PDB file of all heavy atoms in Angstrom:
ATOM      1  N   SER F  82      85.642 105.850  70.205  1.00 96.00           N
ATOM      2  CA  SER F  82      86.443 104.640  70.028  1.00 96.00           C
ATOM      3  C   SER F  82      86.678 104.356  68.547  1.00 96.00           C
ATOM      4  O   SER F  82      85.874 104.757  67.687  1.00 96.00           O
ATOM      5  CB  SER F  82      85.757 103.446  70.700  1.00 96.00           C
ATOM      6  OG  SER F  82      84.460 103.257  70.174  1.00 96.00           O
ATOM      7  N   GLU F  83      87.799 103.681  68.259  1.00 96.00           N
ATOM      8  CA  GLU F  83      88.166 103.299  66.898  1.00 96.00           C
ATOM      9  C   GLU F  83      88.547 101.820  66.896  1.00 96.00           C
ATOM     10  O   GLU F  83      88.966 101.283  67.929  1.00 96.00           O
ATOM     11  CB  GLU F  83      89.338 104.143  66.398  1.00 96.00           C
ATOM     12  CG  GLU F  83      89.014 105.624  66.297  1.00 96.00           C
ATOM     13  CD  GLU F  83      90.166 106.444  65.735  1.00 96.00           C
ATOM     14  OE1 GLU F  83      91.221 105.852  65.403  1.00 96.00           O
ATOM     15  OE2 GLU F  83      90.020 107.680  65.626  1.00 96.00           O
ATOM     16  N   PRO F  84      88.455 101.167  65.735  1.00 96.00           N
ATOM     17  CA  PRO F  84      88.811  99.729  65.675  1.00 96.00           C
ATOM     18  C   PRO F  84      90.213  99.431  66.181  1.00 96.00           C
ATOM     19  O   PRO F  84      90.439  98.389  66.796  1.00 96.00           O
ATOM     20  CB  PRO F  84      88.652  99.408  64.182  1.00 96.00           C
ATOM     21  CG  PRO F  84      87.585 100.334  63.712  1.00 96.00           C
ATOM     22  CD  PRO F  84      87.819 101.615  64.479  1.00 96.00           C
ATOM     23  N   ARG F  85      91.159 100.344  65.991  1.00 94.00           N
ATOM     24  CA  ARG F  85      92.534 100.087  66.442  1.00 94.00           C
ATOM     25  C   ARG F  85      92.673 100.133  67.960  1.00 94.00           C
ATOM     26  O   ARG F  85      93.743  99.807  68.496  1.00 94.00           O
ATOM     27  CB  ARG F  85      93.500 101.085  65.811  1.00 94.00           C
ATOM     28  CG  ARG F  85      93.211 102.542  66.143  1.00 94.00           C
ATOM     29  CD  ARG F  85      94.046 103.448  65.254  1.00 94.00           C
ATOM     30  NE  ARG F  85      93.593 104.825  65.316  1.00 94.00           N
ATOM     31  CZ  ARG F  85      94.393 105.837  65.642  1.00 94.00           C
ATOM     32  NH1 ARG F  85      95.643 105.631  65.928  1.00 94.00           N
ATOM     33  NH2 ARG F  85      93.914 107.064  65.672  1.00 94.00           N
ATOM     34  N   ASP F  86      91.624 100.523  68.651  1.00 96.00           N
ATOM     35  CA  ASP F  86      91.646 100.486  70.113  1.00 96.00           C
ATOM     36  C   ASP F  86      91.339  99.094  70.648  1.00 96.00           C
ATOM     37  O   ASP F  86      91.446  98.855  71.856  1.00 96.00           O
ATOM     38  CB  ASP F  86      90.616 101.469  70.686  1.00 96.00           C
ATOM     39  CG  ASP F  86      90.856 102.898  70.231  1.00 96.00           C
ATOM     40  OD1 ASP F  86      92.023 103.260  69.973  1.00 96.00           O
ATOM     41  OD2 ASP F  86      89.864 103.661  70.122  1.00 96.00           O
ATOM     42  N   SER F  87      90.949  98.196  69.792  1.00 96.00           N
ATOM     43  CA  SER F  87      90.639  96.826  70.215  1.00 96.00           C
ATOM     44  C   SER F  87      91.874  96.191  70.839  1.00 96.00           C
ATOM     45  O   SER F  87      92.948  96.144  70.227  1.00 96.00           O
ATOM     46  CB  SER F  87      90.163  95.998  69.019  1.00 96.00           C
ATOM     47  OG  SER F  87      88.965  96.524  68.487  1.00 96.00           O
ATOM     48  N   ALA F  88      91.723  95.728  72.061  1.00 96.00           N
ATOM     49  CA  ALA F  88      92.849  95.184  72.836  1.00 96.00           C
ATOM     50  C   ALA F  88      92.291  94.681  74.162  1.00 96.00           C
ATOM     51  O   ALA F  88      91.089  94.795  74.426  1.00 96.00           O
ATOM     52  CB  ALA F  88      93.900  96.271  73.093  1.00 96.00           C
ATOM     53  N   VAL F  89      93.185  94.151  74.992  1.00 97.00           N
ATOM     54  CA  VAL F  89      92.813  93.840  76.376  1.00 97.00           C
ATOM     55  C   VAL F  89      93.419  94.920  77.260  1.00 97.00           C
ATOM     56  O   VAL F  89      94.618  95.216  77.167  1.00 97.00           O
ATOM     57  CB  VAL F  89      93.314  92.452  76.809  1.00 97.00           C
ATOM     58  CG1 VAL F  89      92.863  92.155  78.239  1.00 97.00           C
ATOM     59  CG2 VAL F  89      92.791  91.368  75.861  1.00 97.00           C
ATOM     60  N   TYR F  90      92.599  95.494  78.095  1.00 98.00           N
ATOM     61  CA  TYR F  90      93.027  96.568  78.985  1.00 98.00           C
ATOM     62  C   TYR F  90      93.082  96.033  80.411  1.00 98.00           C
ATOM     63  O   TYR F  90      92.105  95.475  80.914  1.00 98.00           O
ATOM     64  CB  TYR F  90      92.067  97.762  78.894  1.00 98.00           C
ATOM     65  CG  TYR F  90      92.149  98.454  77.562  1.00 98.00           C
ATOM     66  CD1 TYR F  90      91.481  97.949  76.448  1.00 98.00           C
ATOM     67  CD2 TYR F  90      92.921  99.607  77.397  1.00 98.00           C
ATOM     68  CE1 TYR F  90      91.573  98.566  75.206  1.00 98.00           C
ATOM     69  CE2 TYR F  90      93.023 100.233  76.167  1.00 98.00           C
ATOM     70  CZ  TYR F  90      92.350  99.703  75.073  1.00 98.00           C
ATOM     71  OH  TYR F  90      92.463 100.315  73.845  1.00 98.00           O
ATOM     72  N   PHE F  91      94.243  96.210  81.042  1.00 98.00           N
ATOM     73  CA  PHE F  91      94.439  95.736  82.406  1.00 98.00           C
ATOM     74  C   PHE F  91      94.620  96.908  83.360  1.00 98.00           C
ATOM     75  O   PHE F  91      95.236  97.924  83.022  1.00 98.00           O
ATOM     76  CB  PHE F  91      95.682  94.852  82.505  1.00 98.00           C
ATOM     77  CG  PHE F  91      95.553  93.516  81.835  1.00 98.00           C
ATOM     78  CD1 PHE F  91      96.118  93.290  80.592  1.00 98.00           C
ATOM     79  CD2 PHE F  91      94.879  92.478  82.459  1.00 98.00           C
ATOM     80  CE1 PHE F  91      96.006  92.059  79.966  1.00 98.00           C
ATOM     81  CE2 PHE F  91      94.759  91.243  81.845  1.00 98.00           C
ATOM     82  CZ  PHE F  91      95.328  91.043  80.596  1.00 98.00           C
ATOM     83  N   CYS F  92      94.119  96.700  84.548  1.00 98.00           N
ATOM     84  CA  CYS F  92      94.375  97.593  85.662  1.00 98.00           C
ATOM     85  C   CYS F  92      95.259  96.825  86.652  1.00 98.00           C
ATOM     86  O   CYS F  92      95.062  95.615  86.866  1.00 98.00           O
ATOM     87  CB  CYS F  92      93.050  97.993  86.306  1.00 98.00           C
ATOM     88  SG  CYS F  92      93.179  98.956  87.807  1.00 98.00           S
ATOM     89  N   ALA F  93      96.233  97.491  87.229  1.00 96.00           N
ATOM     90  CA  ALA F  93      97.101  96.867  88.226  1.00 96.00           C
ATOM     91  C   ALA F  93      97.315  97.843  89.373  1.00 96.00           C
ATOM     92  O   ALA F  93      97.269  99.067  89.174  1.00 96.00           O
ATOM     93  CB  ALA F  93      98.447  96.474  87.611  1.00 96.00           C
ATOM     94  N   THR F  94      97.531  97.302  90.568  1.00 95.00           N
ATOM     95  CA  THR F  94      97.758  98.176  91.715  1.00 95.00           C
ATOM     96  C   THR F  94      98.910  97.638  92.557  1.00 95.00           C
ATOM     97  O   THR F  94      99.244  96.450  92.497  1.00 95.00           O
ATOM     98  CB  THR F  94      96.491  98.317  92.580  1.00 95.00           C
ATOM     99  OG1 THR F  94      96.218  97.096  93.275  1.00 95.00           O
ATOM    100  CG2 THR F  94      95.289  98.705  91.743  1.00 95.00           C
ATOM    101  N   HIS F  95      99.505  98.532  93.341  1.00 91.00           N
ATOM    102  CA  HIS F  95     100.474  98.084  94.335  1.00 91.00           C
ATOM    103  C   HIS F  95     100.558  99.087  95.474  1.00 91.00           C
ATOM    104  O   HIS F  95      99.989 100.184  95.422  1.00 91.00           O
ATOM    105  CB  HIS F  95     101.817  97.750  93.690  1.00 91.00           C
ATOM    106  CG  HIS F  95     102.746  98.907  93.469  1.00 91.00           C
ATOM    107  ND1 HIS F  95     104.095  98.734  93.311  1.00 91.00           N
ATOM    108  CD2 HIS F  95     102.555 100.223  93.375  1.00 91.00           C
ATOM    109  CE1 HIS F  95     104.675  99.895  93.122  1.00 91.00           C
ATOM    110  NE2 HIS F  95     103.771 100.813  93.146  1.00 91.00           N
ATOM    111  N   ARG F  96     101.288  98.671  96.525  1.00 88.00           N
ATOM    112  CA  ARG F  96     101.296  99.471  97.749  1.00 88.00           C
ATOM    113  C   ARG F  96     102.328 100.584  97.732  1.00 88.00           C
ATOM    114  O   ARG F  96     102.391 101.364  98.643  1.00 88.00           O
ATOM    115  CB  ARG F  96     101.563  98.553  98.952  1.00 88.00           C
ATOM    116  CG  ARG F  96     100.343  97.777  99.379  1.00 88.00           C
ATOM    117  CD  ARG F  96     100.687  96.780 100.447  1.00 88.00           C
ATOM    118  NE  ARG F  96     101.496  95.689  99.904  1.00 88.00           N
ATOM    119  CZ  ARG F  96     101.673  94.534 100.516  1.00 88.00           C
ATOM    120  NH1 ARG F  96     101.104  94.308 101.684  1.00 88.00           N
ATOM    121  NH2 ARG F  96     102.417  93.582  99.979  1.00 88.00           N
ATOM    122  N   ASP F  97     103.114 100.622  96.677  1.00 74.00           N
ATOM    123  CA  ASP F  97     104.110 101.690  96.563  1.00 74.00           C
ATOM    124  C   ASP F  97     105.030 101.740  97.776  1.00 74.00           C
ATOM    125  O   ASP F  97     105.330 102.795  98.314  1.00 74.00           O
ATOM    126  CB  ASP F  97     103.414 103.053  96.386  1.00 74.00           C
ATOM    127  CG  ASP F  97     104.401 104.107  95.879  1.00 74.00           C
ATOM    128  OD1 ASP F  97     105.362 103.737  95.190  1.00 74.00           O
ATOM    129  OD2 ASP F  97     104.204 105.293  96.205  1.00 74.00           O
ATOM    130  N   ARG F  98     105.458 100.565  98.199  1.00 69.00           N
ATOM    131  CA  ARG F  98     106.454 100.486  99.272  1.00 69.00           C
ATOM    132  C   ARG F  98     107.655  99.757  98.690  1.00 69.00           C
ATOM    133  O   ARG F  98     107.618  98.544  98.507  1.00 69.00           O
ATOM    134  CB  ARG F  98     105.912  99.708 100.461  1.00 69.00           C
ATOM    135  CG  ARG F  98     104.866 100.434 101.257  1.00 69.00           C
ATOM    136  CD  ARG F  98     104.676  99.795 102.610  1.00 69.00           C
ATOM    137  NE  ARG F  98     104.428  98.363 102.502  1.00 69.00           N
ATOM    138  CZ  ARG F  98     103.538  97.717 103.232  1.00 69.00           C
ATOM    139  NH1 ARG F  98     102.796  98.359 104.091  1.00 69.00           N
ATOM    140  NH2 ARG F  98     103.388  96.424 103.107  1.00 69.00           N
ATOM    141  N   GLY F  99     108.700 100.522  98.394  1.00 68.00           N
ATOM    142  CA  GLY F  99     109.884  99.904  97.833  1.00 68.00           C
ATOM    143  C   GLY F  99     109.567  99.233  96.520  1.00 68.00           C
ATOM    144  O   GLY F  99     108.902  99.798  95.668  1.00 68.00           O
ATOM    145  N   ARG F 100     109.997  97.990  96.375  1.00 73.00           N
ATOM    146  CA  ARG F 100     109.809  97.272  95.123  1.00 73.00           C
ATOM    147  C   ARG F 100     108.632  96.324  95.218  1.00 73.00           C
ATOM    148  O   ARG F 100     108.688  95.208  94.749  1.00 73.00           O
ATOM    149  CB  ARG F 100     111.083  96.485  94.795  1.00 73.00           C
ATOM    150  CG  ARG F 100     112.301  97.353  94.599  1.00 73.00           C
ATOM    151  CD  ARG F 100     112.151  98.217  93.376  1.00 73.00           C
ATOM    152  NE  ARG F 100     113.438  98.767  92.951  1.00 73.00           N
ATOM    153  CZ  ARG F 100     113.603  99.549  91.908  1.00 73.00           C
ATOM    154  NH1 ARG F 100     112.579  99.910  91.176  1.00 73.00           N
ATOM    155  NH2 ARG F 100     114.804  99.987  91.591  1.00 73.00           N
ATOM    156  N   ASP F 101     107.552  96.760  95.786  1.00 75.00           N
ATOM    157  CA  ASP F 101     106.371  95.914  95.904  1.00 75.00           C
ATOM    158  C   ASP F 101     105.850  95.538  94.522  1.00 75.00           C
ATOM    159  O   ASP F 101     105.861  96.349  93.599  1.00 75.00           O
ATOM    160  CB  ASP F 101     105.284  96.652  96.685  1.00 75.00           C
ATOM    161  CG  ASP F 101     104.158  95.735  97.105  1.00 75.00           C
ATOM    162  OD1 ASP F 101     104.426  94.549  97.396  1.00 75.00           O
ATOM    163  OD2 ASP F 101     103.012  96.197  97.144  1.00 75.00           O
ATOM    164  N   THR F 102     105.404  94.314  94.387  1.00 87.00           N
ATOM    165  CA  THR F 102     104.940  93.834  93.095  1.00 87.00           C
ATOM    166  C   THR F 102     103.603  94.445  92.728  1.00 87.00           C
ATOM    167  O   THR F 102     102.842  94.875  93.591  1.00 87.00           O
ATOM    168  CB  THR F 102     104.835  92.300  93.107  1.00 87.00           C
ATOM    169  OG1 THR F 102     104.601  91.838  91.782  1.00 87.00           O
ATOM    170  CG2 THR F 102     103.712  91.818  93.999  1.00 87.00           C
TER     171      THR F 102
END
Side-chain angles (χ1 to χ4, degrees):
Chain F
S82 58
E83 297 183 1
R85 60 191 167 124
D86 302 331
S87 297
V89 182
Y90 292 81
F91 290 101
C92 174
T94 71
H95 84 159
R96 282 173 290 197
D97 196 28
R98 288 196 308 221
R100 298 294 196 180
D101 193 34
T102 190

